[in-house]
Every structure is written in C-alpha cells, then in structure tokens.
Amino acid sequence: MLQVMIGLGLVLAVMAGCAWLLRRFGGMQRSSAGAIKVIGGSAVGQRERVVLVEVADTWLVIGVAPGHVTALHSMPKGEITGSTGDIASTAGRTGTDARFSEWFRRVIDKRGREQHD
C-alpha cells in the first residue's frame, strides 16, 4: 500500500511540474491584456443581453441570447462620449453598465425616430 501511495504522489508531482513548466515557458500563454474586453452590457429581456465588446481598436455592439450571438453595430474605439466623459477611460469603474444603457437607449430612440420620418 505504501508503494502505491508513493507512486501516485510521484505521478501527481510530475504532472504539477509539467503544468508549471508549460505556464512558465509559454505553453499556455495567458496575457493580462486579453484580445477581447467587455466594456458594458444591458439586459433587454429575461435571457437576452446587448453587450459592448472591445476587440483591438474597434467596439462591437453584440446581441447575446441563448444559442445566438449577433453583431448589431461596430464603431471605432472611444467613439461614445457623454456627460461623464469617455467610456474608454472609465471602463474599469463602476457605473459603466449604466452609461452603456443610457447610450443604447439614445441610439434606439434615434433609430426609431429615423424610421418613422
């Protein structure tokens, strides 16, 4: 029994060492600045959301529902400004979701007025 426990411990130690080496030397590269950043989002239904996502220098407005992701709009990064300043500079602060919701409502209202005209 002791021999089995020592063998199991050795195998687990080798696996942990391999995982550490892979992380250390780039086998599983994880960068702190990911390629995709969620700027904000707003629920538009019980299971549907509209989310503002930053990819490189572009912001994408996407609709997310169970089983579906739809691109709604794309714009250059930092295009949205409001009374509280630029969302790009305040993305890490609390309240980003509220500013995004306000911006999204204005866009929907504007598009609704354009369609009725």
Side-chain angles (χ1 to χ4, degrees):
M1 186 65 145
L2 179 64
Q3 194 174 20
V4 171
M5 297 299 275
I6 291 172
L8 180 61
L10 182 64
V11 168
L12 291 175
V14 168
M15 289 176 61
C18 288
W20 178 80
L21 285 172
L22 283 173
R23 279 193 208 139
R24 177 89 172 137
F25 296 109
M28 291 185 272
Q29 295 226 350
R30 290 184 283 163
S31 73
S32 59
I36 299 174
K37 235 191 293 188
V38 176
I39 303 298
S42 180
V44 292
Q46 193 171 20
R47 295 170 37 183
E48 297 83 16
R49 291 186 61 82
V50 175
V51 181
L52 181 64
V53 178
E54 180 182 319
V55 179
D57 290 334
T58 305
W59 281 356
L60 301 172
V61 180
I62 57 174
V64 180
H68 299 286
V69 176
T70 306
L72 303 174
H73 184 67
S74 65
M75 65 190 98
K77 177 182 173 181
E79 186 176 298
I80 302 171
T81 57
S83 59
T84 58
D86 189 27
I87 285 183
S89 64
T90 59
R93 299 182 193 162
T94 58
T96 301
D97 286 346
R99 287 191 299 276
F100 175 74
S101 298
E102 292 170 15
W103 170 82
F104 187 67
R105 281 191 201 105
R106 283 184 298 201
V107 169
I108 294 298
D109 291 342
K110 182 179 174 184
R111 285 192 179 177
R113 281 180 290 198
E114 289 173 358
Q115 288 178 353
H116 292 302
D117 289 342

